[in-house]
Amino acid sequence: MCKNKHDCKSPKECQDKRNTWLERTEKYVPIGRREHKKFIERMKSGEATIVLDRHLKKRKVERSVNTKDLLDVFYNGWVIERNKTDGPIALVLMGYVGNHRHPLHVVIHQLAGDKWIVITSYNPQTHHWKWSDNYNERVCFCNFEDEF
Ligand SMILES: [Zn+2]
């Protein structure tokens, strides 16, 4: 159900997208979880690397997000979305960071086997109506085109 009560542009369309999202999530998130587990193991053994360069043009990591928070989400977070549409594998990781334990979503792409890059990160509370109460599920897709 779309939670964006103020301004849902098309509740029917939103609900259809939500259903598609749920189907894809059910199918692909378990795969993403295995990839994430392997990524953590290989990070710990020094075999995997993650590119954190903040100066790449296409990156949109918020300035307020520091490396410690990103690492916190890599190691302690969990996969909430996995996408692979004619591009690299993309995982959306969710975790809680900072003194106030606010939620943080981090989107990473696989560049090559053990090499990943952070594409974007954001606090989902800034678009709270798009997410379920625990920020693990998308519930509104109204501005889907603007995302990522
Ligand atoms: Zn909506």
Side-chain angles (χ1 to χ4, degrees):
M1 177 82 67
C2 183
K3 278 203 304 185
N4 185 8
K5 295 178 188 82
H6 351 276
D7 195 22
C8 190
K9 288 160 194 150
S10 48
K12 170 75 175 78
E13 201 186 323
C14 231
Q15 186 59 49
D16 288 348
K17 283 181 177 173
R18 162 82 170 148
N19 291 339
T20 305
W21 185 91
L22 282 171
E23 277 170 31
R24 283 177 43 203
T25 300
E26 209 172 294
K27 193 169 165 190
Y28 294 112
V29 161
I31 300 169
R33 293 208 166 126
R34 286 196 292 276
E35 287 161 346
H36 180 229
K37 192 168 170 254
K38 190 177 155 200
F39 166 69
I40 292 172
E41 283 165 7
R42 295 177 80 80
M43 280 280 278
K44 284 177 176 168
S45 65
E47 289 162 290
T49 51
I50 182 98
V51 179
L52 289 167
D53 185 353
R54 285 164 190 270
H55 303 291
L56 296 177
K57 272 185 196 151
K58 66 175 189 174
R59 313 233 359 274
K60 293 190 290 183
V61 175
E62 287 171 12
R63 272 167 202 275
S64 60
V65 177
N66 59 45
T67 305
K68 184 177 162 289
D69 289 350
L70 291 173
L71 288 171
D72 204 348
V73 175
F74 296 152
Y75 286 117
N76 305 308
W78 53 93
V79 176
I80 60 166
E81 243 182 78
R82 180 191 187 269
N83 297 299
K84 194 190 182 308
T85 39
D86 52 74
I89 293 167
L91 300 179
V92 183
L93 302 172
M94 154 82 193
Y96 289 96
V97 299
N99 294 334
H100 301 288
R101 309 311 289 166
H102 70 75
L104 185 70
H105 286 179
V106 181
V107 184
I108 61 173
H109 283 186
Q110 187 179 37
L111 289 177
D114 276 326
K115 197 170 183 191
W116 295 77
I117 183 169
V118 180
I119 295 300
T120 185
S121 76
Y122 54 89
N123 180 341
Q125 287 172 326
T126 58
H127 294 88
H128 63 91
W129 46 267
K130 283 187 185 177
W131 305 95
S132 60
D133 291 340
N134 60 14
Y135 303 100
N136 281 259
E137 287 186 15
R138 274 177 190 250
V139 291
C140 182
F141 294 80
C142 285
N143 299 317
F144 187 66
E145 306 77 38
D146 307 339
E147 279 279 297
F148 310 132

